[in-house]
Amino acid sequence: MNSLDHTPSLPTQVIGHPCIILEETDSTNAELARRLQHQAHNTLEGITIIAKRQQQGRGRLGRVWHSDSQHQLCMSILLTPSVEENRLPQLSLVTAVAIWQALADIAPLSIKWPNDILIQGKKLAGILSERRSSYGAQQQIIMGIGMNIHMPDQGFPEDISDIATALNAHIQQPISRIQVAMRILSSLETYYNEWLAYGFESIRQQWWAAHAASQQPVRAHDGNRGYIEGIAMDLDSDGALLLHTNTGMQRIIAGEVHIL
Ligand code: BTN
């Protein structure tokens, strides 16, 4: 019996209702997008798809997300906020803080810009936020979360073996995928509601406190400008990372950073 076969009732009002668990799909983000094509769009906020295996997991920056074993939590959630468009990039940072908070009592998590979740400098989880279309004021965001729960029996694939880690390698009491999912869905509802009601500022401050590279030297790779080195000074309200460089303050709006 797989841990994902038992789904205790969720302590949430919207997020995770319904929570559909599939044996396998190509990508939970793609699966959710397909299902939305055949549904009335205005009643679906919170719908969640979890897959025990993904054959074509998608990562940020067009990368592959390895997730074809049963060791990972692969989950996508639909969010339909009625907010100004310029707030939408904040949502993946809100999700990162929600994940960080969901597991803070059991593991020493940190965040790396923009929304990687780390343990001891290695990547535990990633977030892929994909925007569908907008319906009037309502936006449709598919928030995909991939987290390594157990170490794969054969170890991680070679290309990520030095940089990836799994939750159960760092905690005393093993935790199941569904327990992790429930914690994240519950925390996401709390943070999402806070963001809708009060905006980003308090969450932005929590993000910065959890950021592994705050006030540290980093090398950022931003698709258009190449590599930029500097000290990570702050997170801007639009999600940009502010770097103090030799040529002054630079805003990193896309790409990724390496902590030096
Ligand atoms: C990253 O590159 O850091 C983001 C990885 C996001 C992976 C998750 S797994 C569930 C969802 N479905 C996908 O195809 N990708 C996301």
Side-chain angles (χ1 to χ4, degrees):
M1 178 70 68
N2 193 291
S3 71
L4 278 177
D5 291 333
H6 290 290
T7 51
S9 59
L10 268 165
T12 52
Q13 300 293 317
V14 173
I15 305 294
H17 297 283
C19 182
I20 300 160
I21 298 181
L22 304 175
E23 286 296 321
E24 188 169 306
T25 189
D26 50 354
S27 145
T28 53
N29 274 29
E31 177 80 37
L32 185 46
R34 283 193 295 272
R35 288 178 183 229
L36 292 174
Q37 287 171 0
H38 308 295
Q39 301 274 354
H41 55 261
N42 54 353
T43 55
L44 292 171
E45 181 159 62
I47 183 172
T48 297
I49 294 192
I50 297 177
K52 294 180 186 176
R53 299 163 73 103
Q54 277 188 151
Q55 300 297 8
Q56 294 172 47
R58 308 201 295 235
R60 287 182 62 239
L61 309 171
R63 293 181 181 141
V64 169
W65 182 258
H66 296 285
S67 42
D68 54 359
S69 74
Q70 301 222 1
H71 297 97
Q72 200 176 104
L73 173 65
C74 302
M75 171 163 83
S76 298
I77 305 133
L78 178 68
L79 301 174
T80 61
S82 294
V83 300
E84 304 79 35
E85 222 174 309
N86 62 3
R87 290 183 60 191
L88 295 178
Q90 298 168 351
L91 256 182
S92 57
L93 303 155
V94 172
T95 304
V97 173
I99 294 172
W100 169 75
Q101 181 61 45
L103 300 170
D105 62 326
I106 56 169
L109 267 50
S110 59
I111 300 173
K112 182 165 75 72
W113 187 88
N115 47 39
D116 285 352
I117 308 293
L118 310 182
I119 297 185
Q120 294 173 358
K122 293 192 170 184
K123 183 155 168 173
L124 173 75
I127 297 169
L128 178 65
S129 165
E130 295 182 305
R131 185 165 161 195
R132 285 192 78 241
S133 42
S134 58
Y135 295 93
Q138 193 191 59
Q139 316 283 342
Q140 288 197 332
I141 308 293
I142 295 178
M143 195 60 73
I145 299 168
M147 182 180 291
N148 303 313
I149 306 295
H150 310 285
M151 293 296 280
D153 302 333
Q154 315 298 329
F156 287 108
E158 204 177 312
D159 56 329
I160 59 167
S161 61
D162 290 341
I163 53 170
T165 194
L167 185 60
N168 277 327
H170 298 271
I171 58 181
Q172 300 296 328
Q173 295 280 336
I175 190 165
S176 69
R177 288 190 288 183
I178 197 66
Q179 287 171 319
V180 174
M182 301 228 349
R183 280 174 175 248
I184 291 174
L185 292 171
S186 174
S187 179
L188 181 59
E189 182 159 287
T190 303
Y191 278 94
Y192 180 57
N193 286 340
E194 179 184 330
W195 178 76
L196 287 173
Y198 305 110
F200 188 47
E201 182 51 24
S202 144
I203 300 171
R204 190 191 70 79
Q205 289 176 22
Q206 291 178 65
W207 186 99
W208 184 247
H211 186 221
S214 295
Q215 310 295 340
Q216 305 285 320
V218 299
R219 181 183 300 124
H221 188 260
D222 152 328
N224 300 323
R225 290 177 292 172
Y227 288 101
I228 301 172
E229 286 190 15
I231 308 290
M233 299 304 289
D234 208 352
L235 180 72
D236 218 344
S237 57
D238 61 356
L241 186 67
L242 299 180
L243 287 195
H244 185 263
T245 72
N246 289 339
T247 55
M249 202 65 89
Q250 300 272 354
R251 282 166 45 82
I252 309 297
I253 54 171
E256 61 185 345
V257 300
H258 297 280
I259 304 171
L260 296 174

